[in-house]
Amino acid sequence: MSININRCNPLAGDPANAFDVDFIPLNTGKRAVADFVMKEFKISAANTFAFGDSGNDIEMLKAVEHGYLLNNATEEAKQLHNRITPEPYAKGINNVT
């Protein structure tokens, strides 16, 4: 089991100064979901997009070639991943795809 602790994202409606604590059993989590979908549907990482807004998305974003943080992501996440959309929320997704 792994544990992921990261600051919540007030821009996404989370409380200010709060943290997410994720207890992640082995072979689960957002990265495992991305890996499963790519394998199940025979999609290469080069043809896969993922989007996130906080630290608990970073491993998923690294699992695919086109992993983006939305512009409204936490500062913590932006320090961990440098591919960031120019716009926040769905607008950021629409501008990438």
Side-chain angles (χ1 to χ4, degrees), residues 18-77:
F19 290 84
D20 285 324
V21 179
D22 302 318
F23 296 92
I24 307 169
L26 294 177
N27 302 314
T28 66
K30 293 179 181 185
R31 182 185 183 118
V33 170
D35 290 339
F36 173 81
V37 169
M38 288 186 290
K39 182 178 177 182
E40 182 72 16
F41 295 100
K42 297 175 178 63
I43 304 169
S44 70
N47 291 319
T48 305
F49 286 76
F51 297 89
D53 68 357
S54 64
N56 67 352
D57 297 314
I58 300 301
E59 290 303 313
M60 172 188 66
L61 299 178
K62 290 179 179 180
V64 302
E65 189 167 317
H66 306 284
Y68 292 88
L69 283 169
L70 298 171
N71 187 272
N72 59 286
T74 63
E75 290 305 315
E76 172 192 41

